[in-house]
Amino acid sequence: MQCKTICFCTTAIVKRLPIFANMDKILDSFGRPLQYLRLAVTDRCNLRCFYCMPAEGIDYVPRQELLSYEEMLRLTRIFVQLGVTKIRLTGGEPFVRHNFYGFLKRLTKIEGLDKIAITTNGSVASKHIPFLKEIGITSINLSLDTLNKEKFAEITRRDFFDQAMATYHSVLDAGIKLSVNMVVMEGRNIEDIIPMAMLTKNDAVTVRYIEEMPFNGKGARNTIGYNHRKILETLESNLPVLFPLTFEHGTTAQEYSIDGHKGRVGIIAAWSRTFCSSCNRIRVTATGQMKNCLYDNGVLNIKRMLTDGSSDKMICEAIKAGYSKKYKNGIEAEAKQANPISESMSSIGG
Ligand code: SAM
Ligand code: SF4
């Protein structure tokens, strides 16, 4: 297989003749295709969720070490050429980066991306949701760990509950696909599991419960108390009948419909890592480190290649070589690291 240099005229041909799209599709050594890119657009954040960052925050990298928007756009085109059809923009908080909307507008013009998704804390996005709909953003994941305003402030160490809820309603009103992410933490928000599930009664939302991972920027690695089984037990014993839905290839959530509810619930076994066999994703951190897995320390410094005069073809080849090193699963990836990672999810790009 040959790597094609990406240029405008290639894109135009690809648009008319889809047979030429993704000619450089890549598989890892377990046969899993690369289809999904998670790109952290910043390591900065305006909240301090205790499971993600220490109260005093983390040491942000100097601005010039972050990928520029131009670099992100070039990188995305390269990944599309390699088979990526879905991108998720995350961080840090993507909406706090200057001119994020201008970047999004340009990103939506890239041919070959079927899905453009964003993960946000919802603190500053609500007014701009109609614009996101207009330019073709396909889905939004909103992080919300409780429906209690005081508890929200305790967990995030900031008072943005009303703004997050305004984003929740704006996304629903705009008709953009909405998922809510709740990190489940024993001693903190177990009693919120059912009230959060009740959002699905009348709203077309998927409420997803995430096992807490040890990426809190403090190095602490506790064994989690409340795993995916306990979450399911809690849901089953408090809600009408749950129907498991077919596990969608490349996703991380086992979803369930609920008798009489408009929305769904889902459980993400992020720490137990039960979904790795169909993993089709790659991560690029805000500083341009490519990671095959949340639990590895990075396999390629793409930022360096984007700035040292490397051609698209050279970057394609380096990505292919990096992707071929993907471990069978997150347990193996973690075991192979000399120093298990525990940096903030905000730097990794959750
Ligand atoms: N700031 C945005 C937000 O909070 O949605 C995007 C970045 S945040 C790092 C992405 C996702 O990672 C959020 O849904 C957040 O709840 C989740 N997350 C952060 N730290 C986590 C941890 N230690 N364990 C599990 N999920 C975590
Ligand atoms: Fe910020 Fe998101 Fe981390 Fe919370 S989870 S501190 S909102 S990056």
Side-chain angles (χ1 to χ4, degrees):
M1 284 191 296
Q2 213 196 337
C3 187
K4 296 274 179 295
T5 302
I6 294 140
C7 61
F8 179 74
C9 71
T10 313
T11 309
I13 292 166
V14 167
K15 196 175 175 186
R16 271 179 275 127
L17 300 169
I19 198 167
F20 290 129
N22 304 330
M23 286 180 61
D24 299 308
K25 237 183 219 181
I26 55 174
L27 302 174
D28 69 11
S29 50
F30 300 94
R32 293 170 296 191
L34 170 60
Q35 294 166 321
Y36 176 16
L37 168 66
R38 296 179 65 101
L39 178 61
V41 301
T42 181
D43 63 345
R44 274 86 167 145
C45 188
N46 54 345
L47 305 193
R48 293 286 178 273
C49 305
F50 80 87
Y51 49 77
C52 179
M53 280 198 204
E56 65 281 10
I58 52 169
D59 292 334
Y60 293 141
V61 299
R63 211 162 284 276
Q64 66 275 13
E65 287 179 27
L66 297 175
L67 288 174
S68 68
Y69 286 140
E70 286 304 330
E71 288 164 348
M72 289 186 224
L73 291 165
R74 179 178 173 206
L75 197 57
T76 305
R77 287 190 200 98
I78 291 172
F79 273 109
V80 167
Q81 183 68 13
L82 291 170
V84 163
T85 54
K86 173 176 177 182
I87 186 168
R88 174 170 302 282
L89 305 165
T90 178
E93 174 51 39
F95 288 96
V96 300
R97 181 144 180 188
H98 179 66
N99 200 20
F100 180 56
Y101 296 97
F103 165 68
L104 281 178
K105 208 167 172 183
R106 295 176 69 195
L107 189 76
T108 56
K109 301 277 189 305
I110 295 180
E111 294 291 340
L113 280 178
D114 299 338
K115 293 184 183 160
I116 303 182
I118 306 173
T119 301
T120 176
N121 61 33
S123 59
V124 291
S126 67
K127 282 197 201 109
H128 304 280
I129 301 299
F131 170 76
L132 301 184
K133 173 72 178 172
E134 192 186 306
I135 63 171
I137 301 304
T138 46
S139 65
I140 291 184
N141 286 2
L142 174 68
S143 300
L144 192 64
D145 305 308
T146 177
L147 291 176
N148 177 302
K149 189 174 160 71
E150 283 72 41
K151 203 189 283 185
F152 179 96
E154 273 168 34
I155 292 174
T156 65
R157 303 188 181 106
R158 295 290 185 274
D159 184 16
F160 278 112
F161 177 75
D162 294 338
Q163 290 86 336
M165 288 312 293
T167 298
Y168 175 93
H169 292 294
S170 303
V171 175
L172 284 178
D173 290 349
I176 299 178
K177 187 169 180 269
L178 174 64
S179 297
V180 165
N181 287 346
M182 168 179 175
V183 180
V184 178
M185 300 158 285
E186 193 146 44
R188 290 281 190 162
N189 64 353
I190 302 308
E191 55 288 0
D192 295 283
I193 293 177
I194 300 306
M196 291 288 289
M198 291 313 290
L199 289 173
T200 67
K201 177 88 179 134
N202 297 313
D203 293 342
V205 59
T206 304
V207 174
R208 306 177 336 150
Y209 302 91
I210 308 179
E211 286 180 350
E212 186 182 0
M213 295 177 277
F215 305 141
N216 44 33
K218 289 182 292 207
R221 296 183 87 76
N222 305 324
T223 318
I224 57 159
Y226 227 82
N227 67 11
H228 61 111
R229 287 195 197 86
K230 280 199 180 179
I231 297 169
L232 182 57
E233 271 168 33
T234 307
L235 293 171
E236 285 184 327
S237 48
N238 289 282
L239 292 171
V241 186
L242 259 60
F243 300 98
L245 301 165
T246 311
F247 188 79
E248 235 182 272
H249 184 85
T251 55
T252 51
Q254 172 59 59
E255 293 191 357
Y256 301 83
S257 60
I258 309 170
D259 214 7
H261 287 222
K262 208 167 166 186
R264 297 170 172 186
V265 289
I267 301 175
I268 303 183
W271 176 240
S272 306
R273 286 157 270 185
T274 54
F275 43 70
C276 302
S277 60
S278 73
C279 181
N280 61 357
R281 63 188 58 195
I282 213 162
R283 288 186 153 75
V284 174
T285 68
T287 55
Q289 270 293 330
M290 173 174 132
K291 284 164 74 79
N292 284 329
C293 174
L294 260 181
Y295 292 85
D296 75 39
N297 272 309
V299 292
L300 175 68
N301 183 341
I302 305 190
K303 169 87 175 170
R304 191 160 54 217
M305 295 196 80
L306 289 165
T307 49
D308 70 1
S310 297
S311 65
D312 287 1
K313 180 177 161 102
M314 287 158 72
I315 298 175
C316 274
E317 294 306 329
I319 292 171
K320 283 183 193 176
Y323 191 63
S324 72
K325 293 184 197 148
K326 192 170 168 100
Y327 291 109
K328 189 172 173 193
N329 55 45
I331 305 282
E332 198 179 309
E334 185 181 24
K336 297 280 183 189
Q337 307 308 309
N339 300 306
I341 58 160
S342 54
E343 61 190 294
S344 164
M345 196 71 137
S346 186
S347 327
I348 302 171

